[in-house]
Amino acid sequence: MMIDEVRLIQHGDLVERARAGDRGAFEALLAPLTVPGYRLAVTMLRDSYEAEDAVQEASLRAWKRIGQVRAGVTSVRPWFLAIVANQCRSMRRTRWFSVLRTDNLRNTDEQRPEEELAQSEDLRRALRRLSPEDRAVLFMFYGLDLPIDEVATAMGMRPAGAKSRLYRALARLRPQLNLEEVPVP
């Protein structure tokens, strides 16, 4: 038996145990997904404190909805990232988010060379001009290195729609950064 097959069997067992109410199995399933979920939330909300809240709330929602995960599912990653993305959208719709949101105070860019700092600031500025959904699809595909079908599941669309959104997001980003053509899968 291959190592990947053993992992799938163990993952499937964790899913079944979590669906049966085993909190430890649920935590084992979610543990490797919290960092990608947090990074997605920061990308969508542009605030680390709000992102922490979003992931925490998404984790609670995932626990309440673990019974919705189908038996035999090979990965809960797109399912959890979809919950995180939906929580971020919900938080953005609240009145207080737009009134009280502050810039990220946890910026540690002071240690980076000036040229790299300028490039990353240009990228951040260009990404801020994109819609949260465009930022999310770019981050999931390029930042988390998810396959397009998992991006589609997390975004609640078909793979062709996710591919199209990725293409359009790159097309909107390219002129702001003077980027050359980047191939889309």
Side-chain angles (χ1 to χ4, degrees):
M1 198 179 290
M2 304 286 293
I3 292 175
D4 288 337
E5 291 175 0
V6 171
R7 285 187 188 137
L8 284 176
I9 291 169
Q10 290 172 341
H11 183 79
D13 181 49
L14 284 175
V15 169
E16 289 305 313
R17 289 180 24 218
R19 289 181 66 205
D22 184 343
R23 185 176 171 175
F26 177 76
E27 289 173 1
L29 275 173
L30 223 56
L33 303 176
T34 55
V35 171
Y38 171 76
R39 291 173 60 200
L40 172 62
V42 167
T43 300
M44 291 183 74
L45 298 172
R46 296 183 304 201
D47 183 285
S48 59
Y49 298 108
E50 292 290 334
E52 288 172 2
D53 290 345
V55 172
Q56 188 172 26
E57 185 63 31
S59 298
L60 290 172
R61 288 181 183 200
W63 173 247
K64 291 176 185 175
R65 296 178 183 159
I66 190 67
Q68 295 175 351
V69 176
R70 292 185 318 261
V73 166
T74 58
S75 177
V76 295
R77 180 172 56 181
W79 172 76
F80 180 68
L81 291 177
I83 294 173
V84 171
N86 287 336
Q87 180 62 31
C88 291
R89 287 184 198 105
S90 176
M91 289 174 73
R92 275 196 338 259
R93 282 191 289 266
T94 66
R95 179 176 167 264
W96 291 110
F97 180 78
S98 60
V99 173
L100 296 177
R101 195 177 74 65
T102 60
D103 286 334
N104 186 354
L105 301 175
R106 295 185 191 182
N107 195 350
T108 58
D109 287 341
E110 293 82 33
Q111 299 109 6
R112 295 170 45 193
E114 256 182 61
E115 184 177 308
E116 189 178 322
L117 181 61
Q119 288 175 347
S120 66
E121 186 56 38
D122 288 343
L123 178 60
R124 259 186 251 137
R125 192 176 306 115
L127 286 169
R128 264 184 256 142
R129 292 181 185 132
L130 297 177
S131 73
E133 286 75 19
D134 284 348
R135 286 193 309 268
V137 76
L138 286 168
F139 177 74
M140 282 191 263
F141 188 75
Y142 291 107
L144 295 178
D145 200 27
L146 294 181
I148 200 72
D149 59 330
E150 286 190 22
V151 172
T153 302
M155 295 293 292
M157 57 180 60
R158 293 189 174 112
K163 200 174 201 180
S164 185
R165 181 177 288 275
L166 180 63
Y167 176 80
R168 288 191 310 267
L170 284 172
R172 289 194 242 334
L173 186 65
R174 218 175 269 120
Q176 297 176 41
L177 296 174
N178 297 324
L179 292 177
E180 293 180 19
E181 195 69 24
V182 177
V184 176

